[in-house]
Structures are given as structure tokens and as C-alpha cells.
Amino acid sequence: MSLSIVVLAAGKGTRMKSNTPKVLHKISGKPMLFHILDQAGRLSSDITVILSHKFDMVKEAIESRYQNIKIHKQDIANFPGTGGALKGLEFNSSRVLILNGDMPLITAQSLEKLANSTAPIAMTILKLANPSGYGRVVIENGFAKEIVEEKDCTQEQKKINTVNAGVYCVDAALLNEFIPKIDNNNAQEEYYLTDIIKMAVDKGLNIEPIEVSEEEFMGVNSKLDLANAEEIMQKRIKEQLMLDGVIMRAPHTIYIDSEAVFKGECILENGVTIEGACRFENAHIKAHSVVEDSTVINSDIGPLAHIRPKSHIEDTHIGNFVEVKKSILKGVKAGHLSYLGDSEIDEGTNIGAGVITCNYDGKAKYQTKIGKNVFIGSDSQLVAPVTLEDNTMVAAGTTVTDDVPSDALAISRVKQKIVRSFFSKFFKKS
Ligand code: UD1
Ligand code: CA
């Protein structure tokens, strides 16, 4: 059996109240549409996404990550609606799985169940305490007979609480036959994909309703739905990681993006945030630290540290209130209150409290290179571009503006003066 997958994503998503197209809103750092495409990709490599609203923007986003996704532009002005979305498409496969772009929690397992149905049309249903807003499904003798949209329902039909979840698996030949015939004779004057159910029934075919879980199939329509979906996604990501061997303290306080990878024995303490494509191996991230798009190997970070994008931290100790950005640290100790940006720091080096790389002059960014076994005293500033060679020392409070050659000490201080009996004179009671 050959399977094609179509993802409907042309709608405006008005209820999101956002300039960002609905399907590009992110869940755990990844656009909703990409969550769906990643799951769909496990079933078939023949995937078409239907777009219209903000066409160029969504197309560009898709193409930045996927090579083989086909894109179809819906003529939404002339053919609005889910049926209009498929007009102009022809299917050469034997089955077509139709998905919505706003169901980021859908899993490949559930889609597989649907794809395995041998009915000419399998459709997904939900039983909802409050069915309002959804198409109601008329079921007789266990088979679906019709889907009636809310706005076309009679008072009686409105009471039906079995609703259409909007995901279908259909014989391609039926779609090729039915899609051109869908009209817009309904309350919304839209072309309803749901009309294919009645068309198939009129041909004497059986439509199998498959009950699916609310968690996976409830669409995201508002920012409230987005936040709820995010919570479920976070729970899934963290549960899987813990089963895979990551230790988490108070996991409900931890946030982890969907692309993070963990190896070996990792510990995440409470309040940790992991954003972007991070890689961890035997890493201990202490409470309330933030790590973004970086690699951390055999190292401990925090508490309250900030590792910003493009950092590589290996065999290193990063303590509290240390910020690292776009830097490579190997075998380094930076225990307290530092900013290390655009730098390369080698093994055996100790960064004292309050050391700052001055990487920016207001116009451009510059590199700081620090070699092996360098001891940098507290509260020093390293004005980039600057190089500190292996086996060097910087005295506390020094502003390093020139390169420091191997075996040297850099010191820049005003000599200390002692003024005797100053205190008692200054505070003398008159
Ligand atoms: C549709 C179903 C309804 C079902 C509900 C489940 C129809 C006519 N109705 O409702 O029975 O209960 O889904 O969520 O199909 N889209 C397009 N082009 C369009 C319109 C929509 O691509 O012209 C896409 C949207 O981007 C979205 C999906 O189709 O991903 C569903 O559209 P939406 O407007 O949310 O669904 P309804 O039509 O309200
Ligand atoms: Ca609609």
C-alpha cells in the first residue's frame, strides 16, 4: 500500500490573535507544523502541505528544515474551506492521510492505527462533553453516515456529542472522484471536505469512525490552547528523558526544548531551562541555570548560570552568575560572576571572580584567547582582541589591553597609598 499525506495549513487561525501564522507558533522550541511533519515523516515520505495565508513565510520556514515536502497553494478566494484546500490535487498513491496543521501533539502511533484501517474512508471522532464548534458525526450501526457542521446543524443534531476530529484516511481513488464534486451549498458558503462522507455513503460504502484521544487530536486555536499543548509536550519530553536516564529534580519546574540531546549521566536541578539544539554528556546543570544552543560535556554549570548560544564547554566548572557566550572552554574553572564572550580558554586555566571579557567596542565583536594554565586574578578586564599565552598570570584588578607572552605576569594598578589617622580625623565629633 502506498500512502500520501496531506497537511491542511492554509487557514488564517484568527483566534490566535497573532501576526505569526498559527502553524509556526512554537511548542517546546519547534513550530507546531514541524512536530506534525516529523511524526508524519515516520509513515510516508510523500507529504504535501496546503498553504495560503502568509504563503511565502510558511513555505520558507518549511524549506529551511525539510527537503522533500511538497507545497500546494490553495485558491482560497475562490475555493475556501477544507474541501477547497484539496482542489487541484491528484493522488497517485492508493491511500491518503489527511491531517491538520494545528495538531502538534499527534503521534505516529495513532496515525498508523488510522492508516491501517481497510475501510474506504476511516475518520477520527472524539466524544466531547461540550461539542460546540465541531462538526457533529451522525453514526448508525457503528458506521459514520454524515458530518454536519455546527452552523448547519438542526437543534436536534446540535445535541450529538460525537464530533469530527478532522483527520481522515481515504482511498485516493475516492478523493480523486469526490473532490471536484464538492460544492459550497452550506451556511458558511465554504467547500467542506466533510461532504465526502455523505458522497461515499450514497455509493453504499462503509465509513469507519475511529475514536481518538482528546490529548492528541484537540486542535490548537488560541494562545490558551498553545500553553496547554506546551505543558503536555513538556511532560512527554521530560518523561522520555528520565526513562532514558536523565535525573531531574522537581521536573515540573524544568523546561526542555524538543531538540535537546542527553548522553551518559546527566543531572538537571530545579528551575533549569534548556533551549534550542543543546547536547549534554555527563553534565550537571544546577538550579535555575539557562543553557541555549550549546554543548556541555563532563562539566557542571550553575546554580544561576547562563550559557548562551554556540558555546562548547568541556571538563569545566562554571559557578554562579557566570555568563558564557559563543566560547570554547576546555578544562577551565570559572567559579563566580564572570562574562566570557567570544573567547577560547584552554585547560588548567582559572578565571577569578568578576573577570570580564570586553568583547564589544560599540561597533564590532572581538576574540579573547586564553591559553593553558593561565591564572586570571579577580575583577580583571580582558579588552579584546587580546591573547594570553600559556602559563601566564594576571594580577587582580588588571585591565589587560596588550597580549601577555608566555611565563609573564600582567599587572596594571595604581600604587596603593596609606594615609594614617584618616578615619578618626574624618569622623571627628566637633
Ligand atoms: C473542521 C471540520 C469539522 C471538524 C473540525 C475539527 C470541515 C468542513 N469541518 O472544522 O467537522 O470538527 O475541523 O477541528 O472540514 N484549512 C485550510 N483551508 C481552508 C480552511 C481550513 O487549509 O480553507 C485548514 C486549517 O488551516 C486547519 C484545518 O484546515 O488546519 C481545519 O480548519 P478549521 O477552520 O480549524 O476547521 P473547521 O472548518 O472549523
Ligand atoms: Ca473554519
Side-chain angles (χ1 to χ4, degrees):
M1 183 201 76
S2 59
L3 181 72
S4 298
I5 298 179
V6 179
V7 184
L8 306 183
K12 264 208 174 125
T14 315
R15 282 171 287 171
M16 285 304 276
K17 301 196 171 132
S18 172
N19 288 325
T20 304
K22 174 155 94 170
V23 294
L24 293 187
H25 277 275
K26 288 179 180 174
I27 301 233
S28 298
K30 186 159 96 175
M32 289 204 269
L33 179 61
F34 294 1
H35 283 281
I36 295 153
L37 293 177
D38 288 345
Q39 295 299 313
R42 297 195 192 181
L43 273 75
S44 169
S45 53
D46 178 15
I47 302 176
T48 305
V49 182
I50 313 291
L51 300 176
S52 172
H53 179 67
K54 302 231 168 156
F55 178 84
D56 293 326
M57 190 176 171
V58 185
K59 179 173 186 275
E60 216 169 276
I62 294 171
E63 286 170 350
S64 72
R65 181 176 158 112
Y66 302 93
Q67 266 107 55
N68 301 318
I69 305 281
K70 289 178 256 175
I71 289 166
H72 178 81
K73 190 169 189 173
Q74 180 182 353
D75 177 5
I76 215 160
N78 293 311
F79 298 102
T82 48
L86 296 187
K87 287 210 185 260
L89 281 182
E90 274 275 340
F91 300 100
N92 304 314
S93 54
S94 53
R95 295 280 276 179
V96 182
L97 182 62
I98 301 167
L99 309 177
N100 286 349
D102 62 0
M103 291 180 179
L105 296 170
I106 219 158
T107 63
Q109 287 115 288
S110 304
L111 296 180
E112 214 166 328
K113 237 193 261 169
L114 192 65
N116 285 339
S117 163
T118 53
I121 300 180
M123 62 167 291
T124 49
I125 56 166
L126 292 167
K127 289 187 178 149
L128 297 182
N130 174 16
S132 79
Y134 285 86
R136 309 298 203 279
V137 185
V138 181
I139 294 180
E140 279 170 33
N141 305 320
F143 292 112
K145 293 289 160 191
E146 193 182 356
I147 301 171
V148 189
E149 291 307 297
E150 165 116 343
K151 286 183 178 139
D152 301 292
C153 275
T154 62
Q155 282 310 108
E156 268 314 296
Q157 285 169 326
K158 272 197 184 150
K159 290 180 194 151
I160 299 174
N161 68 349
T162 300
V163 304
N164 171 26
V167 173
Y168 322 82
C169 193
V170 188
D171 273 345
L174 288 180
L175 276 184
N176 290 336
E177 180 187 340
F178 293 156
I179 295 299
K181 292 187 188 158
I182 294 176
D183 63 31
N184 64 347
N185 291 326
N186 52 57
Q188 303 188 82
E189 296 189 335
E190 282 187 6
Y191 294 79
Y192 291 168
L193 176 60
T194 45
D195 285 355
I196 65 169
I197 304 300
K198 199 157 184 312
M199 291 179 183
V201 168
D202 288 345
K203 270 179 84 110
L205 299 172
N206 286 334
I207 313 303
E208 186 187 5
I210 296 180
E211 192 170 348
V212 290
S213 80
E214 247 181 87
E215 180 184 295
E216 285 188 39
F217 284 78
M218 286 275 275
V220 170
N221 290 307
S222 65
K223 286 172 180 158
L224 174 62
D225 293 342
L226 190 73
N228 289 334
E230 176 70 277
E231 265 189 42
I232 295 166
M233 186 64 79
Q234 277 300 301
K235 198 158 174 285
R236 281 189 196 169
I237 289 172
K238 288 182 279 186
E239 283 179 1
Q240 189 57 53
L241 287 173
M242 285 186 273
L243 290 172
D244 291 346
V246 178
I247 293 174
M248 295 189 202
R249 184 204 281 168
H252 61 283
T253 65
I254 295 174
Y255 171 87
I256 307 175
D257 267 0
S258 53
E259 311 279 272
V261 177
F262 293 82
K263 274 193 191 165
E265 294 228 36
C266 292
I267 303 174
L268 304 179
E269 293 184 6
N270 49 299
V272 161
T273 298
I274 308 295
E275 287 189 48
C278 288
R279 211 182 113 228
F280 298 94
E281 200 173 326
N282 304 321
H284 183 168
I285 314 299
K286 295 183 185 167
H288 302 288
S289 296
V290 177
V291 184
E292 304 168 75
D293 285 301
S294 289
T295 299
V296 181
I297 301 171
N298 301 328
S299 298
D300 65 295
I301 308 283
L304 291 151
H306 188 183
I307 310 301
R308 290 173 50 206
K310 296 189 182 157
S311 296
H312 179 106
I313 295 173
E314 201 169 333
D315 302 320
T316 286
H317 161 68
I318 300 285
N320 47 194
F321 307 112
V322 173
E323 174 181 342
V324 179
K325 187 215 82 175
K326 209 176 175 184
S327 290
I328 301 169
L329 276 62
K330 288 185 178 164
V332 175
K333 285 188 182 138
H336 343 257
L337 295 156
S338 268
Y339 172 60
L340 305 169
D342 302 303
S343 63
E344 261 177 58
I345 311 177
D346 217 336
E347 64 190 47
T349 286
N350 186 87
I351 308 288
V355 170
I356 306 285
T357 54
C358 308
N359 62 328
Y360 185 50
D361 64 1
K363 281 197 210 160
K365 304 272 166 74
Y366 301 96
Q367 286 287 122
T368 299
K369 277 189 129 182
I370 305 173
K372 293 185 172 67
N373 310 315
V374 175
F375 182 91
I376 304 182
S378 298
D379 195 29
S380 294
Q381 302 91 48
L382 313 174
V383 182
V386 72
T387 298
L388 287 77
E389 290 183 4
D390 293 351
N391 309 318
T392 52
M393 291 185 88
V394 174
T398 296
T399 301
V400 180
T401 49
D402 297 321
D403 292 352
V404 182
S406 188
D407 210 26
L409 164 75
I411 179 165
S412 72
R413 276 183 204 160
V414 176
K415 200 163 162 43
Q416 183 177 317
K417 249 189 346 194
I418 293 288
V419 183
R420 301 224 173 252
S421 309
F422 181 87
F423 187 94
S424 54
K425 277 181 201 154
F426 189 78
F427 288 107
K428 197 166 99 187
K429 298 211 172 75
S430 49

PDB file of all heavy atoms in Angstrom, residues 205-219:
ATOM      1  N   LEU A 205     -20.855   2.794   0.501  1.00  0.00           N
ATOM      2  CA  LEU A 205     -19.612   2.432   1.191  1.00  0.00           C
ATOM      3  C   LEU A 205     -19.734   2.610   2.705  1.00  0.00           C
ATOM      4  O   LEU A 205     -20.534   3.412   3.178  1.00  0.00           O
ATOM      5  CB  LEU A 205     -18.458   3.303   0.675  1.00  0.00           C
ATOM      6  CG  LEU A 205     -18.159   3.172  -0.818  1.00  0.00           C
ATOM      7  CD1 LEU A 205     -17.138   4.212  -1.267  1.00  0.00           C
ATOM      8  CD2 LEU A 205     -17.648   1.757  -1.130  1.00  0.00           C
ATOM      9  N   ASN A 206     -18.923   1.842   3.456  1.00  0.00           N
ATOM     10  CA  ASN A 206     -18.921   1.948   4.915  1.00  0.00           C
ATOM     11  C   ASN A 206     -17.800   2.869   5.393  1.00  0.00           C
ATOM     12  O   ASN A 206     -16.634   2.692   5.025  1.00  0.00           O
ATOM     13  CB  ASN A 206     -18.722   0.568   5.549  1.00  0.00           C
ATOM     14  CG  ASN A 206     -19.976  -0.274   5.439  1.00  0.00           C
ATOM     15  OD1 ASN A 206     -21.082   0.256   5.351  1.00  0.00           O
ATOM     16  ND2 ASN A 206     -19.791  -1.584   5.425  1.00  0.00           N
ATOM     17  N   ILE A 207     -18.155   3.814   6.236  1.00  0.00           N
ATOM     18  CA  ILE A 207     -17.175   4.768   6.779  1.00  0.00           C
ATOM     19  C   ILE A 207     -16.892   4.385   8.222  1.00  0.00           C
ATOM     20  O   ILE A 207     -17.794   4.371   9.055  1.00  0.00           O
ATOM     21  CB  ILE A 207     -17.725   6.211   6.762  1.00  0.00           C
ATOM     22  CG1 ILE A 207     -18.367   6.549   5.422  1.00  0.00           C
ATOM     23  CG2 ILE A 207     -16.637   7.201   7.165  1.00  0.00           C
ATOM     24  CD1 ILE A 207     -17.467   6.381   4.236  1.00  0.00           C
ATOM     25  N   GLU A 208     -15.618   4.071   8.507  1.00  0.00           N
ATOM     26  CA  GLU A 208     -15.283   3.628   9.858  1.00  0.00           C
ATOM     27  C   GLU A 208     -14.916   4.813  10.762  1.00  0.00           C
ATOM     28  O   GLU A 208     -13.967   5.547  10.466  1.00  0.00           O
ATOM     29  CB  GLU A 208     -14.086   2.653   9.811  1.00  0.00           C
ATOM     30  CG  GLU A 208     -13.795   2.053  11.175  1.00  0.00           C
ATOM     31  CD  GLU A 208     -12.518   1.209  11.216  1.00  0.00           C
ATOM     32  OE1 GLU A 208     -11.789   1.140  10.213  1.00  0.00           O
ATOM     33  OE2 GLU A 208     -12.265   0.624  12.275  1.00  0.00           O
ATOM     34  N   PRO A 209     -15.685   4.997  11.856  1.00  0.00           N
ATOM     35  CA  PRO A 209     -15.294   6.039  12.808  1.00  0.00           C
ATOM     36  C   PRO A 209     -14.289   5.467  13.805  1.00  0.00           C
ATOM     37  O   PRO A 209     -14.505   4.405  14.368  1.00  0.00           O
ATOM     38  CB  PRO A 209     -16.603   6.390  13.515  1.00  0.00           C
ATOM     39  CG  PRO A 209     -17.506   5.209  13.321  1.00  0.00           C
ATOM     40  CD  PRO A 209     -16.923   4.303  12.273  1.00  0.00           C
ATOM     41  N   ILE A 210     -13.162   6.120  13.983  1.00  0.00           N
ATOM     42  CA  ILE A 210     -12.139   5.645  14.922  1.00  0.00           C
ATOM     43  C   ILE A 210     -12.002   6.670  16.048  1.00  0.00           C
ATOM     44  O   ILE A 210     -11.672   7.839  15.794  1.00  0.00           O
ATOM     45  CB  ILE A 210     -10.788   5.445  14.209  1.00  0.00           C
ATOM     46  CG1 ILE A 210     -10.934   4.332  13.159  1.00  0.00           C
ATOM     47  CG2 ILE A 210      -9.678   5.119  15.203  1.00  0.00           C
ATOM     48  CD1 ILE A 210      -9.668   4.032  12.381  1.00  0.00           C
ATOM     49  N   GLU A 211     -12.308   6.218  17.275  1.00  0.00           N
ATOM     50  CA  GLU A 211     -12.230   7.158  18.395  1.00  0.00           C
ATOM     51  C   GLU A 211     -10.767   7.393  18.766  1.00  0.00           C
ATOM     52  O   GLU A 211      -9.987   6.459  18.895  1.00  0.00           O
ATOM     53  CB  GLU A 211     -13.018   6.632  19.604  1.00  0.00           C
ATOM     54  CG  GLU A 211     -13.180   7.716  20.648  1.00  0.00           C
ATOM     55  CD  GLU A 211     -14.148   7.363  21.778  1.00  0.00           C
ATOM     56  OE1 GLU A 211     -14.886   6.360  21.667  1.00  0.00           O
ATOM     57  OE2 GLU A 211     -14.148   8.124  22.759  1.00  0.00           O
ATOM     58  N   VAL A 212     -10.418   8.662  18.916  1.00  0.00           N
ATOM     59  CA  VAL A 212      -9.028   9.023  19.209  1.00  0.00           C
ATOM     60  C   VAL A 212      -8.966   9.825  20.511  1.00  0.00           C
ATOM     61  O   VAL A 212      -9.991  10.253  21.033  1.00  0.00           O
ATOM     62  CB  VAL A 212      -8.420   9.845  18.045  1.00  0.00           C
ATOM     63  CG1 VAL A 212      -8.215   8.974  16.822  1.00  0.00           C
ATOM     64  CG2 VAL A 212      -9.288  11.056  17.715  1.00  0.00           C
ATOM     65  N   SER A 213      -7.742  10.029  21.025  1.00  0.00           N
ATOM     66  CA  SER A 213      -7.628  10.712  22.319  1.00  0.00           C
ATOM     67  C   SER A 213      -7.693  12.223  22.144  1.00  0.00           C
ATOM     68  O   SER A 213      -7.150  12.788  21.201  1.00  0.00           O
ATOM     69  CB  SER A 213      -6.312  10.323  23.006  1.00  0.00           C
ATOM     70  OG  SER A 213      -5.251  11.071  22.454  1.00  0.00           O
ATOM     71  N   GLU A 214      -8.381  12.841  23.082  1.00  0.00           N
ATOM     72  CA  GLU A 214      -8.509  14.299  23.074  1.00  0.00           C
ATOM     73  C   GLU A 214      -7.147  14.961  23.134  1.00  0.00           C
ATOM     74  O   GLU A 214      -6.892  15.952  22.468  1.00  0.00           O
ATOM     75  CB  GLU A 214      -9.313  14.712  24.309  1.00  0.00           C
ATOM     76  CG  GLU A 214     -10.656  15.296  23.988  1.00  0.00           C
ATOM     77  CD  GLU A 214     -11.366  15.701  25.265  1.00  0.00           C
ATOM     78  OE1 GLU A 214     -11.161  16.824  25.739  1.00  0.00           O
ATOM     79  OE2 GLU A 214     -12.132  14.862  25.764  1.00  0.00           O
ATOM     80  N   GLU A 215      -6.270  14.378  23.986  1.00  0.00           N
ATOM     81  CA  GLU A 215      -4.960  14.990  24.178  1.00  0.00           C
ATOM     82  C   GLU A 215      -4.240  15.200  22.838  1.00  0.00           C
ATOM     83  O   GLU A 215      -3.679  16.250  22.581  1.00  0.00           O
ATOM     84  CB  GLU A 215      -4.096  14.116  25.096  1.00  0.00           C
ATOM     85  CG  GLU A 215      -2.729  14.732  25.322  1.00  0.00           C
ATOM     86  CD  GLU A 215      -1.803  13.855  26.153  1.00  0.00           C
ATOM     87  OE1 GLU A 215      -2.097  13.634  27.323  1.00  0.00           O
ATOM     88  OE2 GLU A 215      -0.785  13.411  25.595  1.00  0.00           O
ATOM     89  N   GLU A 216      -4.300  14.176  21.971  1.00  0.00           N
ATOM     90  CA  GLU A 216      -3.563  14.270  20.714  1.00  0.00           C
ATOM     91  C   GLU A 216      -4.293  15.050  19.623  1.00  0.00           C
ATOM     92  O   GLU A 216      -3.677  15.717  18.811  1.00  0.00           O
ATOM     93  CB  GLU A 216      -3.266  12.868  20.162  1.00  0.00           C
ATOM     94  CG  GLU A 216      -2.176  12.146  20.893  1.00  0.00           C
ATOM     95  CD  GLU A 216      -1.789  10.854  20.188  1.00  0.00           C
ATOM     96  OE1 GLU A 216      -1.745  10.840  18.941  1.00  0.00           O
ATOM     97  OE2 GLU A 216      -1.544   9.858  20.888  1.00  0.00           O
ATOM     98  N   PHE A 217      -5.622  14.938  19.615  1.00  0.00           N
ATOM     99  CA  PHE A 217      -6.352  15.413  18.440  1.00  0.00           C
ATOM    100  C   PHE A 217      -7.085  16.744  18.614  1.00  0.00           C
ATOM    101  O   PHE A 217      -7.672  17.245  17.660  1.00  0.00           O
ATOM    102  CB  PHE A 217      -7.313  14.329  17.946  1.00  0.00           C
ATOM    103  CG  PHE A 217      -6.607  13.221  17.205  1.00  0.00           C
ATOM    104  CD1 PHE A 217      -5.927  12.230  17.892  1.00  0.00           C
ATOM    105  CD2 PHE A 217      -6.597  13.192  15.818  1.00  0.00           C
ATOM    106  CE1 PHE A 217      -5.263  11.213  17.215  1.00  0.00           C
ATOM    107  CE2 PHE A 217      -5.938  12.184  15.131  1.00  0.00           C
ATOM    108  CZ  PHE A 217      -5.264  11.184  15.831  1.00  0.00           C
ATOM    109  N   MET A 218      -7.094  17.287  19.850  1.00  0.00           N
ATOM    110  CA  MET A 218      -7.722  18.601  20.002  1.00  0.00           C
ATOM    111  C   MET A 218      -6.818  19.623  19.348  1.00  0.00           C
ATOM    112  O   MET A 218      -5.630  19.696  19.634  1.00  0.00           O
ATOM    113  CB  MET A 218      -7.887  18.949  21.490  1.00  0.00           C
ATOM    114  CG  MET A 218      -8.995  18.173  22.169  1.00  0.00           C
ATOM    115  SD  MET A 218     -10.609  18.934  21.955  1.00  0.00           S
ATOM    116  CE  MET A 218     -10.587  20.117  23.285  1.00  0.00           C
ATOM    117  N   GLY A 219      -7.348  20.426  18.456  1.00  0.00           N
ATOM    118  CA  GLY A 219      -6.524  21.406  17.756  1.00  0.00           C
ATOM    119  C   GLY A 219      -6.121  22.565  18.658  1.00  0.00           C
ATOM    120  O   GLY A 219      -6.748  22.823  19.673  1.00  0.00           O
TER     121      GLY A 219
END
